[in-house]
Amino acid sequence: MKQKNWRESASGLVAPVVIVALWQLSATLGLVNPLVLPSPWAVVLKWIEYALPLTAFDPAAGSWLAWAVSGELLKDTLGSMYRVVVGFLVGAGLALPLGLLMGASQVVYAWLNPLMQLLRPIPPIAYIPLAILWFGLGNAPAVFLIALGAFFPVLMNTIAGVRQVDGIYIRAARNLGASRSTMFLRVMLPAAVPYILSGVRIGIGTAFIVVIVSEMIAVNNGLGFRILEAREYFWSDKIVAGMISIGLLGLGIDIAMNKLNNHLLRWHRGLES
């Protein structure tokens, strides 16, 4: 099993390595303008400068001097992750009970579904002017936008999970004399868990997308803000370094969520323990 996982991981590295090799070759041959697309090596150097708060001792001066490295990456990453976590908890915390209620009650579904379907296609980015008017600048509008981005994936998947419980389970529970509360807690909710976790995974991904956009508008730190700052000064190497940082962070979050899903769904048919 472990050998199979290692093979899958190795095969997944082939495409990135080929792309980076072609990218470096194009930069070495001068096929691309370094101001437009810097070489991978330049991006790596900028990423190190962006990431590490290092110091160096200058023997001539007899003192410790700061290198041209800022340690901004850690602070920006922590700022972005704080907004993602808070916004996601707010959005998912509202969506989960509402989704369970709409899924379990046909009356509540009939009342609220038209409103949800009206609001769902509106992208969170469209709320940026209102978010700034309502909350000003800072973390509050960013958290609001992230909560919106996480709300609907969790809501719709929760509703679908509850409403698509196999009828055999429902009939069996009724024949055994289960009450409505027991049927909901012991039959419908466990059967809906795979859908709910899928919505959570999508919601976290959406929240991470929204945080980058919101940081370009409403706050003065974070990965999105740093990319916008680099664009204004035409630091293309820092732009790409920030984009790679976002990709690595998103990859790590997705891997963690996938492992959590597999752990929680060990009982579910089709997943290996």
Side-chain angles (χ1 to χ4, degrees):
M1 185 66 182
K2 291 184 178 180
Q3 186 177 5
K4 180 180 178 182
N5 291 335
W6 277 109
R7 288 178 179 176
E8 291 178 353
S9 300
S11 62
L13 292 174
V14 173
V17 169
V18 171
I19 292 174
V20 171
L22 293 175
W23 177 11
Q24 181 65 51
L25 180 62
S26 299
T28 302
L29 297 177
L31 300 178
V32 293
N33 186 343
L35 293 177
V36 177
L37 183 63
S39 68
W41 182 242
V43 172
V44 169
L45 293 178
K46 179 56 68 174
W47 192 89
I48 294 174
E49 176 184 327
Y50 182 28
L52 302 177
L54 299 177
T55 57
F57 184 75
D58 184 357
S63 62
W64 289 90
L65 298 175
W67 279 355
V69 284
S70 60
E72 290 174 339
L73 179 60
L74 178 60
K75 294 181 286 187
D76 290 339
T77 301
L78 291 176
S80 295
M81 287 303 301
Y82 169 79
R83 299 179 188 102
V84 167
V85 170
V86 174
F88 174 78
L89 290 178
V90 172
L94 295 173
L96 184 58
L98 182 59
L100 293 173
L101 186 60
M102 291 179 65
S105 173
Q106 183 61 38
V107 175
V108 177
Y109 181 83
W111 275 90
L112 295 182
N113 186 59
L115 177 62
M116 295 298 105
Q117 296 303 328
L118 174 67
L119 297 176
R120 185 168 64 92
I122 303 175
I125 300 172
Y127 289 91
I128 287 177
L130 290 177
I132 294 176
L133 286 175
W134 293 343
F135 301 103
L137 300 177
N139 285 330
V143 169
F144 170 73
L145 295 172
I146 295 164
L148 278 176
F151 178 83
F152 287 104
V154 177
L155 175 71
M156 302 311 297
N157 278 269
T158 302
I159 294 173
V162 176
R163 291 176 66 86
Q164 294 182 21
V165 175
D166 196 324
I168 295 177
Y169 300 153
I170 303 295
R171 290 192 295 270
R174 286 174 179 169
N175 292 337
L176 293 172
S179 64
R180 295 189 63 180
S181 59
T182 300
M183 185 178 299
F184 177 76
L185 294 175
R186 302 294 298 274
V187 178
M188 300 176 71
L189 185 58
V193 166
Y195 289 86
I196 295 173
L197 292 178
S198 177
V200 167
R201 188 175 180 183
I202 297 171
I204 289 179
T206 304
F208 200 74
I209 293 172
V210 175
V211 72
I212 301 303
V213 177
S214 65
E215 287 175 346
M216 293 182 176
I217 306 297
V219 299
N220 59 1
N221 58 51
L223 295 171
F225 169 81
R226 205 62 62 186
I227 289 176
L228 183 64
E229 178 189 58
R231 187 208 67 175
E232 293 176 353
Y233 291 98
F234 212 71
W235 295 334
S236 55
D237 50 359
K238 192 170 186 178
I239 293 174
V240 178
M243 292 169 61
I244 293 175
S245 301
I246 293 168
L248 291 174
L249 190 58
L251 177 62
I253 293 173
D254 188 71
I255 291 174
M257 284 302 305
N258 187 45
K259 289 185 177 297
L260 177 62
N261 286 2
N262 291 342
H263 175 73
L264 295 177
L265 298 178
R266 293 192 304 268
W267 56 271
H268 192 254
R269 187 175 58 188
L271 288 178
E272 297 180 358
S273 58

